[in-house]
Amino acid sequence: MTTQKVLMCGNEVLAEAAVRAGCRCYFGYPITPQNEISAYMSKRMPEIGGVFIQAESELAAINMVFGASAVGVRAMTSSSSPGVSLKQEGISYIAGAELPAVIVNVMRGGPGLGNIGPAQSDYFQAVKGGGHGDYHQIVLAPYSAQEVSDITFLSFDLADQYRMPVMILTDGVIGQMMEPAVIEKKEVRNLLPKDWALTGCRGRKPNVVKSLYLGDKVLERHNLKLQERYRQVAAHEVRYDAYHLDDAELIVVAYGICARLCKSAMNDLRAKGMRIGMIRPVTLWPFPSRIISQVAGTGKSFLTVEMSFGQMVEDVRLAVNGKSGVHFYGRGGGEMLTREEVLKEMERLYAQLRGGKNV
Amino acid sequence: MKKIFGRTPSLTDAPTHYCGGCGHGIVHRVLCEVIDELGLRESTVGIAPVGCAVLGYDYWNFDVSEAAHGRTPAVATGMKRARPDLTVFSYQGDGDLAAIGTAEIIHAANRGERITVIFVNNTVYGMTGGQMAPTTLVGQKTLTSPHGRKFEEFGEPIRVVELLSQFRGTAYAARTSVHNPVEVIKTKKAIKKAFQAQVDGIGFSIVEILSQCPTYWGMTPVQSVEYVRDELVKYFPLGTFKDETGAKASAV
Ligand SMILES: Cc1ncc(C[n+]2csc(CCOP(=O)(O)OP(=O)(O)O)c2C)c(N)n1
Ligand code: SF4
């Protein structure tokens, strides 16, 4: 079964990959468009002796993850935008208490109740903190069912390795599209035993899981330790795909489902001789700033495409740091971008840049 | 010479940060004695709440976690479901349990989570300076009910164990107090039954303990135990509201 190709929707691929990655506790609360994950887990977890709870709220679900993780067990919760807002308190506590956890956000249109259309408008929340305090979570954005699987395995390892929350950020399209995928682990990491976990103090001193640090500079020291860990993550875990950066005059930056559309449009336009390239961030935090900064400069322009009104584009601008023009194209409110409109925008901008002297 | 009383191993010798006359320290002692008498110290995970007892891990000599304010039963649920072999208790104040964490406690009880809840009801928010709590008596003055709690504005105090004992998932629910030695002994017995219910896998167990907060009641320690005896127990009757420990244990 393991190396066989399966045809499942992205949400189900994610759930099965989580199980195979060793997730033994899943806690959720119904919300569209992620319901396939809970439904799958409610069936699958009992088969493997795992835990499935439909919690009373997203608040409860994320805190159940906190509990399971604190006793050393791999745990996950999933939701969509409004529910993920409710999880922010818990994510902040998980970050403060240095617990591993995997959180899935199958993004939908907002703000407020919004709609159930696919969106990328929770980028700020996912990448810039969301909850209170100086913390980060690793944010991974798959763009195909296969990558959903690969990233899910990776997320549990990253969470354990760095003892921090990891968010898988997808959208309604990635979640519900049926695609073939091979659900198997591709990377092996050496993970340390969880000697910090609350497993009963037999033969050792009691362990404490906490985020309260009282006393002069004690909390600052704790924060400095977390910051050092974030630097390690930023140094070692940046992931992205890059296409045609050597000759590209226009570089598209897009993630998730948008990257899928842009890549296809880019290939068509290149066939027509246009020098268009692309950077597809796989980790949104840590952000692939270095590669963007390296390629930025005279003769290159950037186009960020998002299903939002411009969130990731801010990180692209920071990385470019004024060395190139940074343009934006996006739609929001749960409206799906089409390949055709992205292609038209790329074509239009490319022509405009070539027409102008200074691109 | 024979030693007839000493510190139980689950209790550390850290000097207390609780105010003089506070009930938390008494509850800690009997809780730790029960854990040791049942031989559970090395399999126990306790949860310290956001509240005056947040530093529980300074006093408890076993594994302890904090939890976000009111989410304590959800954290306990995650722990117990993930590791059913552990003994998991949540220690909660009335603001934590009966205000911000109302949903979590009701659903943990209703699901019959095999956890034990030590609910310290001192009718005020101690840690934040003595504000009105969901359990503040009608007429009781607090920082945010300076003229006394009015039913018309804030309703009546919530009787938590009566509420939770309605659920089939609740195996044991009792209310005790720590205002005199007899009641302290009864508290210890109730806590023991509550843990036994968890060990036997019967269901959710809770002991609500009426506890003095002399600091924010504006009373001396002596006046505060008299207040529990004369006022609190009138609205919050002491006793066992549900006990399925005998029934189900003998059926097993
Ligand atoms: C989300 C959140 N809201 C408010 C607070 C502030 N706060 C700290 S302790 C507390 C209440 C404590 O009262 P109680 O649960 O009755 O316990 P006690 O201190 O009386 O033992 C509050 C509101 C907080 N820490 N987190
Ligand atoms: S404020 Fe009240 S509850 Fe808190 S330690 Fe002092 S007496 Fe105890």
Side-chain angles (χ1 to χ4, degrees), chain B residues 16-195:
Chain B
T16 183
H17 78 288
Y18 296 113
C19 313
C22 175
H24 275 302
I26 306 170
V27 178
H28 283 15
R29 177 171 62 78
V30 291
L31 166 67
C32 288
E33 285 173 359
V34 166
I35 287 171
D36 288 328
E37 285 168 21
L38 294 175
L40 298 174
R41 191 183 77 87
E42 294 179 329
S43 67
T44 290
V45 177
I47 307 175
V50 171
C52 281
V54 67
L55 296 176
Y57 40 77
D58 284 351
Y59 310 116
W60 301 335
N61 187 24
F62 41 75
D63 284 2
V64 182
S65 178
E66 284 171 2
H69 194 20
R71 316 291 170 230
T72 332
V75 171
T77 297
M79 290 173 165
K80 186 71 182 183
R81 292 285 189 115
R83 287 284 309 268
D85 54 319
L86 297 174
T87 311
V88 178
F89 75 84
S90 82
Y91 187 106
Q92 302 184 253
D94 41 82
D96 194 72
L97 183 142
I100 196 167
T102 324
E104 284 80 359
I105 195 70
I106 284 184
H107 289 277
N110 192 42
R111 286 190 304 262
E113 295 297 341
R114 270 70 169 161
I115 60 170
T116 300
V117 177
I118 307 298
F119 170 35
V120 178
N121 177 4
N122 60 15
T123 75
V124 288
Y125 286 63
M127 194 187 215
T128 43
Q131 292 87 349
M132 179 175 57
T135 50
T136 299
L137 295 183
V138 169
Q140 190 180 341
K141 289 182 181 167
T142 70
L143 190 63
T144 51
S145 57
H147 307 296
R149 175 178 184 156
K150 286 198 186 75
F151 165 73
E152 293 72 18
E153 288 174 11
F154 297 107
E156 279 207 304
I158 296 174
R159 293 187 181 98
V160 168
V161 280
E162 285 87 334
L163 186 68
L164 298 184
S165 59
Q166 295 170 25
F167 299 123
R168 192 172 144 199
T170 302
Y172 183 78
R175 183 182 292 112
T176 65
S177 83
V178 287
H179 72 272
N180 69 33
V182 173
E183 298 305 329
V184 172
I185 289 168
K186 286 188 190 163
T187 296
K188 183 170 167 183
K189 280 191 179 147
I191 293 178
K192 201 165 197 171
K193 272 210 157 176
F195 273 94

